[in-house]
Amino acid sequence: MASPSAVRDAGTSFIGGRIPMWVPVLLGFLTAVGPISTDIYLPAFPAMEQTFHTSAGNVQFTLSIWFVGLAIGQITVGPLSDRFGRRSPMLIGNALYAVASAVCAFAPDITTFSIARFVASVGASTSLVIPTACVRDMVPDRNAGARMMSQLVMVMGVVPILAPMLGGLVVEFVSWRIIFWASAAYGAICVALILFVLPETLPYDRRVALSPFTLVTRYVTLIRDRAFASHALITAFSTFMSFSYLTAAPFVFVQLFHFSPLHFSMLFGFFAVFMIGASQVNGLLVGRIDSGKLLMGAICLSVTGGILLVAVSLWSAWYAPPAWQPYEVWLVIAAMLLALAPTGIIFPNAMMGALADHPSLAGAASALAGTLQYVLGAVAGVVVGQFPAVSAIPMAGCMCCGAILMFLMGLVRPNRQNVN
């Protein structure tokens, strides 16, 4: 096994050269810490409510706490990675995530669990923002970067497909606490991979000074750049749409449509398969079709799915006869699939569009974009929770709103091709 210093030094040779296939696999595995930790415990909500003798709202609130921690962590760790390199912040963050997840596993009450969950989210944020900056370090070309991001989406998507299914099995046969022991083990594996395998992609001569003034100036520069702001908001509203689904889906499918936790987990995996498939189609098309055109095409598909989802939900709730109910669930699933699957194309192209013009600020740019995503993710959870849980309408409305806002951001972004 190579020493950490040898691995660190070897990474600089990838920049501008051929990237080994295992690099996006590794980065995808690290990035999956965030999605797996979000998805795996959704089927456990009812069991946690009983264990902690608390309300469903308090258990759902832990998901918002998770999103807030991710947002705070990302906006902090991005500039740190521009100053100290990519490996060290991820090493510390994943160690923190592993320890905090273990605390979640034996938490005696919802308060302890919530605090540990927040700490875990701050640690996990390092693996959400830094791998994207690593891609920008190694692949400056926008189209090539979008292809590599598509590979990341494929790898990071495999684990979240399995996560909710495993979570559903755990809840049905053993204690939900096993979920968080498994999360702690995942974090420990990530620590080992970062220490012994992950190359350092940011050379010393490209690192930038860090001070409060510099930090504020850096973020102001990014916000004022129309290319960055529009693309970052596209990823953020895509997250708003996705997290509206994540927050409301357990109620809609388990309580309204009477899915078992295991069947709900399988449906979750079904959606993820199509999102990963879309990301791979994107990888094949980028370079042949301009990434900006692919982005707008995918957004239009999402908008269509969102509008259809609202139409089906409204018709089912207000006008449909009782005989319509058995068909409602299949139409809802079809419309959600049309809305969610294109995110596999939207995310890599929008993220590379946000980072393309800022090679020296890749960490800060990735952090700010990620923070916007999880802030709007937390907002989605709060907004969905304000509506009475008697139909699929709140979920449909929020998902459609996110898709339409993506479209509006797509209209105002600079219409340039192959930005490097």
Side-chain angles (χ1 to χ4, degrees):
M1 182 176 291
S3 68
S5 59
V7 170
R8 180 189 64 237
D9 296 338
T12 57
S13 64
F14 297 160
I15 300 173
R18 181 178 175 81
I19 310 298
M21 286 298 296
W22 59 265
V23 173
V25 173
L26 173 59
L27 293 177
F29 184 85
L30 294 172
T31 308
V33 167
I36 191 176
S37 300
T38 302
D39 304 339
I40 195 169
Y41 89 126
L42 295 178
F45 277 11
M48 292 172 61
E49 181 183 346
Q50 294 178 3
T51 299
F52 291 138
H53 304 290
T54 188
S55 67
N58 285 337
V59 176
Q60 290 175 335
F61 186 64
T62 64
L63 189 60
S64 293
I65 289 173
W66 172 258
F67 295 152
V68 170
L70 290 178
I72 293 172
Q74 286 186 87
I75 203 167
T76 304
V77 78
L80 289 174
S81 74
D82 286 336
R83 172 63 181 86
F84 298 107
R86 311 305 186 197
R87 295 176 75 249
S88 297
M90 270 206 289
L91 188 63
I92 296 170
N94 279 274
L96 188 65
Y97 166 81
V99 172
S101 295
V103 174
C104 288
F106 60 77
D109 52 58
I110 192 67
T111 302
T112 304
F113 179 89
S114 298
I115 294 171
R117 188 70 172 155
F118 175 79
V119 174
S121 67
V122 173
S125 67
T126 60
S127 287
L128 281 173
V129 63
I130 296 179
T132 305
C134 291
V135 173
R136 184 61 183 85
D137 292 339
M138 294 183 289
V139 189
D141 176 72
R142 177 177 172 179
N143 284 336
R147 280 193 294 270
M148 188 170 176
M149 284 295 298
S150 295
Q151 294 175 339
L152 250 70
V153 171
M154 179 186 69
V155 177
M156 68 180 277
V158 171
V159 175
I161 287 175
L162 299 176
M165 294 189 225
L166 293 174
L169 286 171
V170 167
V171 172
E172 257 188 66
F173 296 109
V174 291
S175 170
W176 61 266
R177 295 181 186 275
I178 301 297
I179 291 172
F180 292 95
W181 286 120
S183 298
Y186 193 99
I189 292 170
C190 288
V191 168
L193 289 173
I194 294 166
L195 189 60
F196 295 108
V197 182
L198 179 71
E200 176 58 71
T201 61
L202 186 66
Y204 285 101
D205 59 358
R206 284 175 49 186
R207 299 182 186 182
V208 293
L210 184 68
S211 69
F213 177 77
T214 302
L215 186 59
V216 172
T217 302
R218 196 172 301 166
Y219 283 131
V220 170
T221 299
L222 290 168
I223 291 170
R224 293 178 62 183
D225 179 67
R226 186 157 65 100
F228 171 83
S230 56
H231 285 100
L233 285 171
I234 287 172
T235 67
F237 289 125
S238 173
T239 303
F240 180 91
M241 180 181 69
S242 299
F243 284 7
S244 298
Y245 150 68
L246 283 178
T247 303
F251 163 77
V252 171
F253 288 102
V254 175
Q255 297 187 36
L256 190 63
F257 295 138
H258 308 295
F259 279 40
S260 70
L262 182 58
H263 287 157
F264 167 69
S265 301
M266 293 173 67
L267 177 67
F268 193 97
F270 173 76
F271 287 137
V273 165
F274 277 88
M275 286 186 270
I276 293 171
S279 74
Q280 298 319 292
V281 171
N282 180 70
L284 294 173
L285 294 179
V286 165
R288 302 175 185 178
I289 302 174
D290 177 63
S291 59
K293 293 179 180 178
L294 285 173
L295 175 62
M296 284 305 296
I299 289 174
C300 290
L301 286 176
S302 252
V303 171
T304 302
I307 293 172
L308 288 175
L309 182 59
V310 169
V312 170
S313 301
L314 288 174
W315 171 257
S316 299
W318 294 349
Y319 303 109
W324 165 268
Q325 190 172 12
Y327 306 101
E328 178 187 1
V329 61
W330 301 110
L331 291 173
V332 166
I333 290 172
M336 289 178 68
L337 184 62
L338 186 58
L340 292 170
T343 59
I345 296 175
I346 292 168
F347 178 80
N349 290 297
M351 183 59 77
M352 288 311 298
L355 302 184
D357 292 342
H358 304 283
S360 63
L361 303 178
S366 180
L368 184 55
T371 298
L372 289 172
Q373 291 170 36
Y374 284 95
V375 166
L376 286 181
V379 170
V382 172
V383 171
V384 170
Q386 298 305 306
F387 294 93
V390 294
S391 74
I393 294 175
M395 178 184 73
C398 288
M399 289 180 65
C400 185
C401 180
I404 290 172
L405 289 170
M406 274 196 295
F407 180 75
L408 294 177
M409 290 302 101
L411 293 180
V412 302
R413 69 185 180 89
N415 186 20
R416 295 175 291 173
Q417 296 186 352
N418 302 326
V419 180
N420 295 328

